[in-house]
Amino acid sequence: MAIAYLITYEASDPDTIVQQLKAYKERELDRSPPKGYLGARILEGTDGKTVTFLTEWESEEKLEDTRDSAPWEACMDLNETFSDSNKALTFKMIS
């Protein structure tokens, strides 16, 4: 079953997080997509304080394989450093 995985970061200055996510998406996901990867979007809140990284996967197992990779961990760890808080959610994709 396909899933969507969202990580939302809150920060007083989200620009660093946006730039880090853009670089990760272009360098890692777009150039050599991992197995099971379906797509990604970076969303910046109109409040000027939130950034959401939305990724879509064929299954939770495919996501977990990628989340265990060094590039993913490095990107997410850096984003946590620059954020005041973060929250991750997983959704089943219905349509």
Side-chain angles (χ1 to χ4, degrees):
M1 165 187 0
I3 63 160
Y5 182 72
L6 292 87
I7 304 173
T8 300
Y9 299 96
E10 288 189 28
S12 54
D13 181 14
D15 291 341
T16 301
I17 296 169
V18 169
Q19 293 306 314
Q20 179 69 17
L21 289 171
K22 285 171 69 174
Y24 175 77
K25 181 181 176 300
E26 292 170 2
R27 188 176 55 247
E28 298 294 330
L29 298 178
D30 293 345
R31 284 188 189 165
S32 52
K35 289 185 179 187
Y37 169 73
L38 300 174
R41 294 199 191 323
I42 301 165
L43 310 169
E44 188 170 4
T46 56
D47 61 2
K49 296 181 180 184
T50 56
V51 177
T52 297
F53 188 45
L54 163 65
T55 56
E56 298 176 1
W57 303 88
E58 289 176 0
S59 68
E60 285 192 68
E61 294 78 22
K62 299 297 183 184
L63 167 62
E64 288 307 313
D65 290 344
T66 299
R67 288 182 61 195
D68 286 339
S69 71
W72 176 281
E73 288 180 353
C75 177
M76 299 313 142
D77 287 349
L78 185 60
N79 289 339
E80 286 179 21
T81 300
F82 288 101
S83 70
D84 299 326
S85 66
N86 64 75
K87 182 177 182 179
L89 298 168
T90 304
F91 294 89
K92 296 177 190 176
M93 294 172 48
I94 305 301
S95 69

